[in-house]
Every structure is written in C-alpha cells, then in structure tokens.
Amino acid sequence: MPRETGQTKAARLKKIITALDRTYPEAHCELDHRSPLELLIATILSAQCTDKRVNIVTAEFFKKYRSAADYANAPLAELEQAIRTTGFFRNKAKNIQACCRKLVGQHNGQVPRTMEELTHLDGVGRKTANVVLGNAFGINAGVVVDTHVARLSHRLGLTKQTTPEKIEQELMALVPQEQWTLFSHWLIWHGRRRCAARRPDCKECEVNKLCPKIGVEQRRRNSE
Ligand code: SF4
C-alpha cells in the first residue's frame, strides 16, 4: 500500500468501519453482566483470562456477591477461592476487595461515571475504565485497547505505536467519538473470528482490500 496522507487514511478507515459494522451488527461486550458493578468486577477478572472463563466463574460468583459491601466485607480467602480459575487470583481478589471498599467509603457503594474517579480505584486502569464507561453507562471516554485491538490496529495500518496508551490516543484522533466503544468491539470481534494472532484468515476477510496486512506473513496473504 502506497504511503498514505491523513485524508486517504481517514477515507480508508471510514470504509473499514462500514464493513465491520455490516459484518458485526450485533457486536457488544462479551462479558456477562447486569449492572455497572458486575461489569467492573468481570473486567478486573478478565485480565490474562478469556471472557468465556470469566463468564463461567461469574455465573456463580455474582449470585453470592451482589453489592460493593458484599465484596468489601468478604473473607479474602473466600474471594480468592471463588475466582481461582481466572488466574492471578490472589492479586485480583485483593484488588476487588480494595476497589469495593473505596466504592463503599467514597462513592456510596456505586460505580462512579468518570475516568478520573474510576482510575483511582484499585485494579482499574484506563482500559477497565473505558469498558465500564462505554458499556455500562454509554459514555465514550476512550477506546478500549486490548490485545486484539492492538494487533488489528497495527495490521490495518492505523497506528505504528506499540503501547496501549499511545495506540488509544491515535485511535481517538482517527475514529469519531460516538463510535469509540463500538470500534473496539468491532476489532475485538474481528480479532476473535477472523484476524487471529497466529492464523489470520485474510482470504475470507471482509476488509481484505482495505488492509495492508502489516506484519502478516506472505503465505497468509493468500488472497492477494
Ligand atoms: S486482511 Fe488479514 S490481516 Fe487484515 S484484518 Fe483481515 S485477516 Fe487481519
């Protein structure tokens, strides 16, 4: 793909968005939740773990712990045991409890609705805050950059940045704000269903003609 101007990149991105929207009209957050608190806890649990595994664990976990106070007052060992299979369970349990103690002490037991307040909670970085703001409150405060979003942004030639923070800043400058939450869903869904880390299915890909396939081995670009 020849060197792009900002204008041609924006036009290409617009076509990518149209194609992904058409391909995944039902794209949504795949972590099961019924409240902002459940989504916050599920997102903390999803670090280094699949959404599928988190959903199996939270199906029981959320029946037992229903409020921030429930997590704040639970014996730590009990929390650890309940989330053991999500990995890094000691750290996650410690963060969930400390986070919920702050919710109880500083936010009346409710999940706050601003990036600043959310990122002051234990175990909550920009990514988790973006997930909660975008999916529980409908607030487009940023773009969630997980492993799929980082990989696809790079392959699609949208950024050369390598840290999630810098990738997010570039995507925020490129994608219309009202689509920030959806855009990360589209890339995550496409990453899971078509553009896998090791075996991207370029041949069948819905954005094949719009993608420079940066970093993809030649043999995988088998439709060019
Ligand atoms: S063309 Fe290949 S590298 Fe590009 S998004 Fe599709 S599957 Fe991924």
Side-chain angles (χ1 to χ4, degrees):
M1 187 170 284
R3 195 173 164 78
E4 278 187 310
T5 63
Q7 222 174 7
T8 52
K9 190 178 194 176
R12 186 169 64 85
L13 177 61
K14 208 168 169 190
K15 288 183 191 164
I16 291 172
I17 286 175
T18 301
L20 292 177
D21 187 19
R22 197 180 304 128
T23 308
Y24 307 112
E26 76 286 27
H28 61 269
C29 175
E30 294 186 275
L31 289 168
D32 294 340
H33 64 280
R34 290 161 302 173
S35 68
L37 179 65
E38 286 191 356
L39 183 56
L40 175 61
I41 302 295
T43 310
I44 292 173
L45 292 176
S46 72
Q48 311 289 320
C49 183
T50 63
D51 287 2
K52 202 172 161 195
R53 164 59 46 195
V54 172
N55 290 339
I56 291 169
V57 168
T58 55
E60 289 307 309
F61 196 47
F62 290 161
K63 281 185 198 158
K64 188 163 181 191
Y65 305 96
R66 293 174 177 272
S67 67
D70 289 343
Y71 294 104
N73 298 325
L76 190 58
E78 202 179 282
L79 290 180
E80 287 176 357
Q81 197 50 40
I83 63 167
R84 200 177 180 94
T85 58
T86 67
F88 303 97
F89 63 95
R90 288 205 173 84
N91 211 26
K92 288 179 184 176
K94 188 160 66 73
N95 281 334
I96 287 170
Q97 185 152 76
C99 169
C100 286
R101 284 180 177 166
K102 275 191 192 155
L103 291 183
V104 172
Q106 300 171 13
H107 301 283
N108 209 19
Q110 303 299 306
V111 177
R113 293 170 177 243
T114 68
M115 176 63 72
E116 196 186 351
E117 290 170 304
L118 278 165
T119 50
H120 274 98
L121 300 169
D122 301 71
V124 181
R126 251 196 95 83
K127 181 177 140 230
T128 298
N130 274 330
V131 171
V132 172
L133 289 169
N135 297 286
F137 298 128
I139 298 170
N140 286 299
V143 178
V144 172
V145 179
D146 72 349
T147 177
H148 299 291
V149 175
R151 182 177 73 254
L152 268 77
S153 300
H154 187 245
R155 284 180 176 170
L156 286 163
L158 302 179
T159 182
K160 289 181 179 158
Q161 301 293 341
T162 52
T163 65
E165 297 74 21
K166 288 186 178 166
I167 293 171
E168 185 187 358
Q169 290 309 313
E170 290 213 347
L171 293 179
M172 285 165 73
L174 283 170
V175 178
Q177 184 169 3
E178 66 272 17
Q179 291 181 316
W180 285 351
T181 302
L182 261 177
F183 186 72
S184 61
H185 291 323
W186 288 325
L187 291 197
I188 292 167
W189 278 50
H190 199 56
R192 285 181 176 149
R193 292 157 178 79
R194 187 70 80 199
C195 188
R198 291 200 183 159
R199 298 174 66 87
D201 184 8
C202 297
K203 187 165 180 243
E204 300 295 329
C205 181
E206 293 79 358
V207 293
N208 185 324
K209 298 281 182 281
L210 300 164
C211 179
K213 306 170 189 67
I214 291 168
V216 176
E217 290 170 40
Q218 194 60 43
R219 66 193 170 91
R220 298 257 172 250
R221 303 168 159 226
N222 46 12
S223 62
E224 285 187 346

Short mmCIF file of all heavy atoms in Angstrom, two decimals, residues 34-66:
data_model
loop_
_atom_site.label_atom_id
_atom_site.label_comp_id
_atom_site.label_asym_id
_atom_site.label_seq_id
_atom_site.Cartn_x
_atom_site.Cartn_y
_atom_site.Cartn_z
N ARG A 34 -25.06 -7.59 34.64
CA ARG A 34 -26.39 -6.99 34.72
C ARG A 34 -26.36 -5.63 35.37
O ARG A 34 -27.39 -5.00 35.58
CB ARG A 34 -27.34 -7.90 35.52
CG ARG A 34 -27.72 -9.20 34.80
CD ARG A 34 -28.23 -10.22 35.77
NE ARG A 34 -27.21 -10.49 36.78
CZ ARG A 34 -27.37 -11.23 37.86
NH1 ARG A 34 -28.53 -11.80 38.09
NH2 ARG A 34 -26.39 -11.40 38.71
N SER A 35 -25.16 -5.16 35.75
CA SER A 35 -25.05 -3.86 36.41
C SER A 35 -23.63 -3.33 36.21
O SER A 35 -22.72 -4.10 35.88
CB SER A 35 -25.31 -4.02 37.92
OG SER A 35 -24.24 -4.77 38.49
N PRO A 36 -23.43 -2.01 36.43
CA PRO A 36 -22.08 -1.46 36.32
C PRO A 36 -21.10 -2.17 37.27
O PRO A 36 -19.95 -2.43 36.90
CB PRO A 36 -22.26 0.02 36.71
CG PRO A 36 -23.68 0.32 36.35
CD PRO A 36 -24.45 -0.93 36.64
N LEU A 37 -21.56 -2.53 38.48
CA LEU A 37 -20.67 -3.21 39.42
C LEU A 37 -20.24 -4.56 38.87
O LEU A 37 -19.05 -4.92 38.93
CB LEU A 37 -21.35 -3.37 40.79
CG LEU A 37 -20.51 -4.10 41.84
CD1 LEU A 37 -19.26 -3.29 42.21
CD2 LEU A 37 -21.33 -4.40 43.10
N GLU A 38 -21.19 -5.32 38.33
CA GLU A 38 -20.84 -6.63 37.77
C GLU A 38 -19.86 -6.48 36.61
O GLU A 38 -18.92 -7.28 36.47
CB GLU A 38 -22.10 -7.38 37.33
CG GLU A 38 -22.92 -7.91 38.50
CD GLU A 38 -24.02 -8.88 38.10
OE1 GLU A 38 -24.23 -9.11 36.89
OE2 GLU A 38 -24.67 -9.41 39.01
N LEU A 39 -20.07 -5.46 35.78
CA LEU A 39 -19.14 -5.29 34.66
C LEU A 39 -17.75 -4.89 35.16
O LEU A 39 -16.74 -5.37 34.63
CB LEU A 39 -19.68 -4.22 33.68
CG LEU A 39 -18.81 -4.01 32.44
CD1 LEU A 39 -18.60 -5.31 31.67
CD2 LEU A 39 -19.42 -2.96 31.52
N LEU A 40 -17.71 -4.06 36.17
CA LEU A 40 -16.41 -3.66 36.74
C LEU A 40 -15.66 -4.88 37.27
O LEU A 40 -14.48 -5.09 36.98
CB LEU A 40 -16.64 -2.63 37.86
CG LEU A 40 -15.42 -2.17 38.66
CD1 LEU A 40 -14.39 -1.50 37.75
CD2 LEU A 40 -15.83 -1.21 39.77
N ILE A 41 -16.35 -5.71 38.04
CA ILE A 41 -15.71 -6.90 38.61
C ILE A 41 -15.30 -7.87 37.49
O ILE A 41 -14.18 -8.39 37.49
CB ILE A 41 -16.68 -7.63 39.59
CG1 ILE A 41 -17.13 -6.70 40.72
CG2 ILE A 41 -16.05 -8.91 40.14
CD1 ILE A 41 -16.07 -6.24 41.67
N ALA A 42 -16.18 -8.09 36.52
CA ALA A 42 -15.87 -9.01 35.42
C ALA A 42 -14.66 -8.52 34.63
O ALA A 42 -13.82 -9.32 34.21
CB ALA A 42 -17.08 -9.16 34.49
N THR A 43 -14.55 -7.22 34.46
CA THR A 43 -13.42 -6.68 33.67
C THR A 43 -12.11 -6.85 34.45
O THR A 43 -11.08 -7.17 33.87
CB THR A 43 -13.67 -5.21 33.29
OG1 THR A 43 -14.97 -5.09 32.73
CG2 THR A 43 -12.65 -4.73 32.28
N ILE A 44 -12.16 -6.64 35.75
CA ILE A 44 -10.95 -6.89 36.56
C ILE A 44 -10.55 -8.37 36.44
O ILE A 44 -9.38 -8.70 36.26
CB ILE A 44 -11.20 -6.50 38.05
CG1 ILE A 44 -11.36 -4.98 38.18
CG2 ILE A 44 -10.06 -7.00 38.94
CD1 ILE A 44 -11.76 -4.49 39.57
N LEU A 45 -11.55 -9.25 36.46
CA LEU A 45 -11.25 -10.69 36.36
C LEU A 45 -10.73 -11.09 34.98
O LEU A 45 -10.06 -12.11 34.82
CB LEU A 45 -12.51 -11.51 36.67
CG LEU A 45 -13.01 -11.47 38.11
CD1 LEU A 45 -14.32 -12.25 38.24
CD2 LEU A 45 -11.96 -12.05 39.07
N SER A 46 -11.03 -10.29 33.96
CA SER A 46 -10.69 -10.69 32.59
C SER A 46 -9.21 -10.48 32.23
O SER A 46 -8.78 -10.92 31.16
CB SER A 46 -11.57 -9.94 31.58
OG SER A 46 -11.18 -8.58 31.52
N ALA A 47 -8.45 -9.85 33.12
CA ALA A 47 -7.02 -9.68 32.83
C ALA A 47 -6.36 -11.05 32.68
O ALA A 47 -6.52 -11.91 33.56
CB ALA A 47 -6.36 -8.89 33.96
N GLN A 48 -5.65 -11.26 31.59
CA GLN A 48 -4.95 -12.53 31.32
C GLN A 48 -5.89 -13.74 31.37
O GLN A 48 -5.48 -14.84 31.74
CB GLN A 48 -3.82 -12.76 32.34
CG GLN A 48 -2.90 -11.60 32.54
CD GLN A 48 -2.02 -11.37 31.34
OE1 GLN A 48 -1.53 -12.32 30.73
NE2 GLN A 48 -1.83 -10.12 30.96
N CYS A 49 -7.14 -13.54 31.01
CA CYS A 49 -8.12 -14.64 31.07
C CYS A 49 -9.14 -14.44 29.96
O CYS A 49 -9.40 -13.30 29.57
CB CYS A 49 -8.82 -14.60 32.44
SG CYS A 49 -9.98 -15.95 32.71
N THR A 50 -9.73 -15.53 29.45
CA THR A 50 -10.72 -15.38 28.38
C THR A 50 -12.07 -14.93 28.96
O THR A 50 -12.40 -15.24 30.11
CB THR A 50 -10.94 -16.71 27.65
OG1 THR A 50 -11.49 -17.66 28.58
CG2 THR A 50 -9.64 -17.25 27.07
N ASP A 51 -12.85 -14.24 28.13
CA ASP A 51 -14.19 -13.83 28.56
C ASP A 51 -15.03 -15.06 28.89
O ASP A 51 -15.85 -15.04 29.81
CB ASP A 51 -14.88 -13.01 27.46
CG ASP A 51 -14.29 -11.61 27.32
OD1 ASP A 51 -13.33 -11.28 28.04
OD2 ASP A 51 -14.80 -10.83 26.48
N LYS A 52 -14.82 -16.12 28.14
CA LYS A 52 -15.60 -17.34 28.34
C LYS A 52 -15.38 -17.89 29.76
O LYS A 52 -16.32 -18.23 30.47
CB LYS A 52 -15.17 -18.38 27.29
CG LYS A 52 -16.17 -19.44 27.03
CD LYS A 52 -15.72 -20.27 25.85
CE LYS A 52 -16.45 -21.60 25.87
NZ LYS A 52 -15.84 -22.58 24.98
N ARG A 53 -14.13 -17.94 30.18
CA ARG A 53 -13.79 -18.44 31.51
C ARG A 53 -14.37 -17.50 32.58
O ARG A 53 -14.92 -17.95 33.58
CB ARG A 53 -12.26 -18.58 31.62
CG ARG A 53 -11.66 -18.72 32.98
CD ARG A 53 -12.11 -19.87 33.83
NE ARG A 53 -12.18 -21.16 33.17
CZ ARG A 53 -12.83 -22.22 33.68
NH1 ARG A 53 -13.42 -22.14 34.86
NH2 ARG A 53 -12.87 -23.36 33.02
N VAL A 54 -14.23 -16.20 32.35
CA VAL A 54 -14.77 -15.23 33.32
C VAL A 54 -16.29 -15.43 33.46
O VAL A 54 -16.82 -15.45 34.58
CB VAL A 54 -14.47 -13.77 32.88
CG1 VAL A 54 -15.20 -12.77 33.78
CG2 VAL A 54 -12.96 -13.50 32.93
N ASN A 55 -16.98 -15.63 32.33
CA ASN A 55 -18.44 -15.80 32.40
C ASN A 55 -18.83 -17.06 33.17
O ASN A 55 -19.84 -17.08 33.87
CB ASN A 55 -19.04 -15.84 30.99
CG ASN A 55 -18.97 -14.48 30.32
OD1 ASN A 55 -18.86 -13.45 30.99
ND2 ASN A 55 -19.04 -14.46 29.00
N ILE A 56 -18.02 -18.11 33.05
CA ILE A 56 -18.30 -19.35 33.81
C ILE A 56 -18.17 -19.05 35.31
O ILE A 56 -19.02 -19.42 36.11
CB ILE A 56 -17.33 -20.48 33.39
CG1 ILE A 56 -17.64 -20.93 31.97
CG2 ILE A 56 -17.38 -21.65 34.37
CD1 ILE A 56 -16.59 -21.86 31.35
N VAL A 57 -17.10 -18.34 35.67
CA VAL A 57 -16.85 -18.05 37.08
C VAL A 57 -17.91 -17.08 37.65
O VAL A 57 -18.45 -17.30 38.73
CB VAL A 57 -15.42 -17.46 37.25
CG1 VAL A 57 -15.23 -16.86 38.64
CG2 VAL A 57 -14.38 -18.55 36.99
N THR A 58 -18.22 -16.04 36.89
CA THR A 58 -19.13 -15.02 37.44
C THR A 58 -20.59 -15.51 37.52
O THR A 58 -21.37 -14.97 38.29
CB THR A 58 -19.08 -13.70 36.63
OG1 THR A 58 -19.36 -13.98 35.25
CG2 THR A 58 -17.73 -13.02 36.78
N ALA A 59 -20.92 -16.54 36.74
CA ALA A 59 -22.29 -17.07 36.81
C ALA A 59 -22.62 -17.45 38.26
O ALA A 59 -23.74 -17.22 38.74
CB ALA A 59 -22.43 -18.29 35.90
N GLU A 60 -21.67 -18.01 38.99
CA GLU A 60 -21.88 -18.35 40.41
C GLU A 60 -21.48 -17.20 41.33
O GLU A 60 -22.17 -16.89 42.30
CB GLU A 60 -21.05 -19.60 40.77
CG GLU A 60 -21.59 -20.87 40.16
CD GLU A 60 -23.06 -21.09 40.47
OE1 GLU A 60 -23.44 -21.02 41.65
OE2 GLU A 60 -23.84 -21.32 39.53
N PHE A 61 -20.35 -16.58 41.00
CA PHE A 61 -19.78 -15.51 41.85
C PHE A 61 -20.80 -14.39 42.09
O PHE A 61 -20.97 -13.92 43.23
CB PHE A 61 -18.55 -14.97 41.10
CG PHE A 61 -17.59 -14.15 41.92
CD1 PHE A 61 -17.15 -14.56 43.17
CD2 PHE A 61 -17.10 -12.94 41.42
CE1 PHE A 61 -16.24 -13.81 43.90
CE2 PHE A 61 -16.19 -12.18 42.15
CZ PHE A 61 -15.76 -12.62 43.38
N PHE A 62 -21.48 -13.97 41.01
CA PHE A 62 -22.42 -12.84 41.13
C PHE A 62 -23.69 -13.20 41.88
O PHE A 62 -24.44 -12.33 42.30
CB PHE A 62 -22.77 -12.29 39.74
CG PHE A 62 -21.63 -11.56 39.06
CD1 PHE A 62 -21.64 -11.35 37.68
CD2 PHE A 62 -20.55 -11.06 39.79
CE1 PHE A 62 -20.60 -10.67 37.05
CE2 PHE A 62 -19.51 -10.39 39.16
CZ PHE A 62 -19.53 -10.19 37.79
N LYS A 63 -23.95 -14.50 42.04
CA LYS A 63 -25.13 -14.90 42.83
C LYS A 63 -24.85 -14.67 44.31
O LYS A 63 -25.72 -14.32 45.08
CB LYS A 63 -25.44 -16.38 42.61
CG LYS A 63 -26.16 -16.67 41.33
CD LYS A 63 -26.52 -18.15 41.28
CE LYS A 63 -26.85 -18.55 39.85
NZ LYS A 63 -26.70 -19.98 39.62
N LYS A 64 -23.58 -14.87 44.70
CA LYS A 64 -23.21 -14.77 46.11
C LYS A 64 -22.90 -13.33 46.53
O LYS A 64 -23.23 -12.92 47.63
CB LYS A 64 -21.99 -15.67 46.35
CG LYS A 64 -21.64 -15.78 47.80
CD LYS A 64 -20.74 -16.96 48.03
CE LYS A 64 -20.43 -17.06 49.52
NZ LYS A 64 -19.38 -18.02 49.78
N TYR A 65 -22.22 -12.59 45.67
CA TYR A 65 -21.81 -11.22 45.99
C TYR A 65 -22.62 -10.26 45.13
O TYR A 65 -22.47 -10.24 43.91
CB TYR A 65 -20.31 -11.03 45.76
CG TYR A 65 -19.48 -12.04 46.52
CD1 TYR A 65 -19.05 -13.21 45.91
CD2 TYR A 65 -19.16 -11.84 47.87
CE1 TYR A 65 -18.30 -14.14 46.60
CE2 TYR A 65 -18.43 -12.77 48.57
CZ TYR A 65 -18.00 -13.92 47.93
OH TYR A 65 -17.28 -14.85 48.64
N ARG A 66 -23.47 -9.47 45.78
CA ARG A 66 -24.40 -8.65 45.00
C ARG A 66 -24.15 -7.16 45.12
O ARG A 66 -24.61 -6.38 44.29
CB ARG A 66 -25.84 -8.96 45.43
CG ARG A 66 -26.23 -10.38 45.05
CD ARG A 66 -27.59 -10.75 45.61
NE ARG A 66 -27.96 -12.09 45.17
CZ ARG A 66 -28.59 -12.35 44.05
NH1 ARG A 66 -28.94 -11.38 43.24
NH2 ARG A 66 -28.89 -13.59 43.73
#
